[in-house]
Amino acid sequence: MDIKTASALRRLRLVSIPEAVSFLLLIVCSVLKRTTDFNAVPAMGMIHGLLFVLYVLFWLDAWNRTKWDAKTGILYFVLSVLPAGGFFADRKLKREAEAAVIASRARREGVVNA
């Protein structure tokens, strides 16, 4: 894995958890808006919208650089629209990055032809 691909995956991981948290907070704010006088939906909606746009941009960059198949690429997008999907995306991306590092080290040391 080259440095640009690793950076793309890292950026996607870095934004996945804040995006998931903002989505959950937006749901909480929506419930509070309807049950109390507290209305943080406009502010939280803007924050979540920005994080979602960043997630989509970083997802597109990661998909382009990693050459994921359609199933994997779509899975990461679907995880972005699920309320807690960003947590699962982060965990899956972490495993993928660790596997790529192990494969890269093995290739460099001549252990395997991966």
Side-chain angles (χ1 to χ4, degrees):
M1 175 182 303
D2 65 340
I3 192 75
K4 290 184 179 183
T5 304
S7 295
L9 288 175
R10 180 150 174 81
R11 279 191 305 269
L12 185 58
R13 279 191 64 211
L14 285 174
V15 78
S16 67
I17 292 206
E19 191 271 337
V21 169
S22 72
F23 195 178
L24 293 172
L25 287 174
L26 182 60
I27 292 170
V28 169
C29 288
S30 296
V31 170
L32 289 174
K33 176 184 176 183
R34 283 155 181 75
T35 58
T36 66
D37 291 333
F38 183 74
N39 185 10
V41 172
M44 200 65 235
M46 186 170 37
I47 292 168
H48 173 67
L50 175 68
L51 289 170
F52 180 74
V53 168
L54 283 174
Y55 183 95
V56 170
L57 290 174
F58 294 158
W59 165 75
L60 286 170
D61 183 41
W63 193 356
N64 183 41
R65 292 188 186 282
T66 59
K67 307 298 184 210
W68 287 324
D69 59 348
K71 180 183 172 186
T72 304
I74 292 170
L75 171 69
Y76 284 119
F77 182 77
V78 168
L79 288 174
S80 75
V81 297
L82 297 175
F87 299 113
F88 297 110
D90 177 64
R91 189 173 13 180
K92 193 165 174 49
L93 286 165
K94 182 179 179 182
R95 277 192 238 128
E96 185 175 330
E98 288 171 350
V101 167
I102 291 169
S104 175
R105 286 181 183 161
R107 275 193 306 272
R108 188 178 26 193
E109 295 172 3
V111 176
V112 293
N113 259 349

